[in-house]
């Protein structure tokens, strides 16, 4: 296992993690069965790719922000905060999505990354956030519950968890 010399943190996408980002995302795509075709253009103009990931973007018919979880030159994962929810995202997707690169899984990074993402969501003005996950994804369920997730219901094929971010309600 690689020992990290700096504490991982959530930050805007940065070109400083080029090699580990590209290899980590390739490993994640291959492990998940996702298309890797986007990696070629991203690697050819990584600075341009990073610029396209920064700030508030639009996808899923909602504005969202992308954050990378990094430690020094090591890319560990990605967290996305969707600023609004559509009816589709209420059922599958929620406000926050995240993944940890395969080499860094099962080391507590997802729990800490989500905690940092919740702090960012609170800073953005969210009082509560919705996270969804597949019932078979035990690791994700544990990460959500460890961060205060309360199971609301199963909707379709997804479990729906709400996390209260408003300290006045505690």
């Amino acid at each position: 296992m690689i020992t990290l010399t700096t504490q991982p943190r959530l930050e805007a996408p940065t070109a400083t993690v080029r090699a580990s980002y590209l290899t980590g995302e390739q490993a994640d795509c291959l492990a998940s069965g996702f298309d890797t075709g986007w990696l070629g253009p991203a690697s050819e103009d990584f600075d341009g790719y990073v610029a396209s990931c920064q700030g508030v973007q639009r996808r899923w018919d909602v504005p969202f922000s992308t954050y990378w979880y990094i430690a020094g030159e090591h890319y560990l994962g990605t967290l996305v905060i969707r600023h609004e929810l559509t009816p589709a995202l209420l059922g599958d997707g929620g406000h926050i999505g995240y993944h940890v690169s395969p080499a860094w899984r099962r080391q507590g990074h997802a729990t800490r990354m989500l905690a940092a993402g919740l702090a960012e969501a609170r800073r953005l003005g969210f009082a509560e956030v919705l996270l969804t996950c597949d019932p078979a994804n035990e690791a994700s369920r544990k990460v959500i519950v460890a961060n205060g997730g309360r199971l609301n219901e199963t909707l379709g094929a997804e479990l729906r968890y709400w996390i209260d971010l408003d300290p006045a309600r505690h």
Side-chain angles (χ1 to χ4, degrees):
M1 180 183 325
I2 296 172
T3 301
L4 297 173
T5 57
T6 60
Q7 187 71 19
R9 67 192 180 286
L10 208 56
E11 69 174 55
T14 174
T16 62
V17 295
R18 181 186 189 281
S20 64
Y21 176 84
L22 293 169
T23 56
E25 287 299 290
Q26 180 178 25
D28 189 53
C29 286
L30 293 172
S32 304
F34 297 139
D35 179 37
T36 59
W38 65 274
L39 289 166
S43 67
E44 290 168 15
D45 180 13
F46 195 68
D47 289 338
Y49 174 74
V50 167
S52 75
C53 295
Q54 294 175 334
V56 178
Q57 305 292 308
R58 190 158 185 88
R59 185 173 169 199
W60 307 286
D61 292 324
V62 298
F64 73 95
S65 300
T66 300
Y67 303 90
W68 290 354
Y69 196 60
I70 66 169
E73 73 277 9
H74 300 287
Y75 163 81
L76 284 68
T78 295
L79 182 132
V80 171
I81 299 177
R82 298 175 192 94
H83 299 230
E84 301 169 7
L85 294 178
T86 62
L89 289 171
L90 277 166
D92 184 1
H95 288 105
I96 298 177
Y98 59 89
H99 76 274
V100 173
S101 187
W104 299 103
R105 291 180 184 160
R106 308 270 184 227
Q107 298 174 42
H109 294 299
T111 301
R112 290 186 295 276
M113 180 171 57
L114 179 56
L118 295 172
E120 184 63 20
R122 189 177 296 111
R123 189 188 71 71
L124 291 170
F126 287 84
E128 62 180 357
V129 293
L130 173 68
L131 285 91
T132 68
C133 77
D134 185 307
N137 190 341
E138 182 179 345
S140 190
R141 287 194 333 258
K142 287 181 177 181
V143 166
I144 294 168
V145 169
N147 277 284
R150 298 175 328 275
L151 181 61
N152 175 258
E153 66 182 330
T154 301
L155 188 60
E158 294 288 303
L159 298 174
R160 294 168 28 97
Y161 291 88
W162 286 95
I163 300 178
D164 188 358
L165 300 178
D166 186 352
R169 296 195 294 213
H170 293 275

